[in-house]
Amino acid sequence: MTSPPIRRQERVGFLRAKSRDDGFYQLLADSARHAVAAAEMLTRMLGASPAEREELAPRLKDIEHEADEATHAIIHKVNSSFVTPFDHTDIVELAAALDDCTDHIESVGQTVVLYRMNGLMPEITGQMEVILRMAELTAQAMPQLATMKELKDYWVEINRLENEGDAIYRRLLRDLFGGAVSDPIEVIKHKDIIERLEMAADAFENVAHRVEGIAIKES
């Protein structure tokens, strides 16, 4: 009796199980750690004077360049590997989403330097604390892709933090347009910084959504 043919999906799953390459998880973790480094550097910059920010800005740019290199390394590994731990496209899109996080953080730092802002609204610190925590959780989650275990707690907490960040964002806009900042030019500057920080938080939530999608697909 002839055995039924092995379907392509089963064959690919078998190959992945036999040929797991932990290098992918290491590269994704490296990429996420660049986002943590960027968030830590931006936290320093937001608490510094305009002159000190100009000194720190090149270091933040260096982190962003390193993050780009990490993304290229992941894409190169995907393109040069016949078997990957999960879908090629999912790996590339996750790598790009991680890179977006660092890009958005770096954008805030460069903009603060460009605007030469002196005082910042106090609650911007709260917005930054949320982003740093999201970055740390993301870096912790990447190695867990190897087993796909305990990832639900990660994306649930990221979603909670993003909601917390949204609440801070709305309060900042309310206070900003309610007179907390009187100079119209400073209002424009603050609004731009606040919105860029919100985009950074959204970028981390996007990573969590992609991880959730991968976990569901691979379960």
Side-chain angles (χ1 to χ4, degrees):
M1 180 176 176
T2 304
S3 299
I6 299 175
R7 290 179 299 175
R8 181 182 182 281
Q9 184 176 2
E10 294 173 346
R11 185 166 62 250
V12 171
F14 174 77
L15 287 170
R16 286 176 180 165
K18 296 287 287 184
S19 313
R20 197 184 85 175
D21 185 349
D22 290 336
F24 280 101
Y25 307 114
Q26 182 62 50
L27 287 170
L28 289 167
D30 288 345
S31 182
R33 282 192 288 269
H34 285 115
V36 176
E40 290 173 343
M41 182 58 65
L42 180 58
T43 299
R44 286 184 61 187
M45 290 179 68
L46 294 181
S49 68
E52 290 169 330
R53 288 179 193 142
E54 287 195 24
E55 293 178 2
L56 294 172
R59 296 167 65 179
L60 180 58
K61 189 66 178 177
D62 288 342
I63 295 170
E64 191 269 334
H65 282 317
E66 291 167 3
D68 285 342
E69 291 173 3
T71 303
H72 294 319
I74 294 169
I75 294 171
H76 175 75
K77 190 168 181 62
V78 167
N79 290 335
S80 60
S81 300
F82 177 68
V83 178
T84 55
F86 45 92
D87 185 79
H88 285 63
T89 301
D90 287 336
I91 295 174
V92 171
E93 290 181 350
L94 178 57
L98 286 167
D99 191 46
D100 285 344
C101 295
T102 305
D103 286 345
H104 283 301
I105 291 170
E106 193 267 341
S107 169
V108 177
Q110 297 301 329
T111 304
V112 169
V113 170
L114 176 67
Y115 288 164
R116 296 192 62 80
M117 299 175 74
N118 289 312
L120 290 168
M121 295 174 68
E123 205 165 3
I124 285 179
T125 301
Q127 208 179 8
M128 194 63 233
E129 288 173 353
V130 167
I131 291 168
L132 177 56
R133 184 58 184 148
M134 293 174 93
E136 292 169 342
L137 288 172
T138 301
Q140 293 168 16
M142 290 303 106
Q144 293 175 292
L145 286 167
T147 60
M148 297 292 173
K149 293 180 180 178
E150 300 179 6
L151 280 167
K152 183 176 180 180
D153 289 345
Y154 152 68
W155 65 67
V156 168
E157 179 61 8
I158 288 290
N159 181 256
R160 187 196 69 79
L161 286 167
E162 202 279 332
N163 289 336
E164 182 181 335
D166 278 347
I168 296 172
Y169 168 70
R170 288 191 294 269
R171 288 198 300 270
L172 279 163
L173 289 182
R174 178 199 64 195
D175 294 345
L176 181 63
F177 291 108
V181 177
S182 57
D183 186 319
I185 300 300
E186 290 300 314
V187 169
I188 294 171
K189 292 178 181 179
H190 269 85
K191 182 174 181 292
D192 192 14
I193 297 301
I194 293 164
E195 288 180 342
R196 287 174 187 269
L197 286 168
E198 173 69 4
M199 289 171 67
D202 288 345
F204 283 106
E205 186 181 39
N206 182 43
V207 171
H209 287 163
R210 293 191 179 280
V211 170
E212 182 178 6
I214 290 167
I216 291 170
K217 186 185 295 187
E218 297 297 318
S219 63

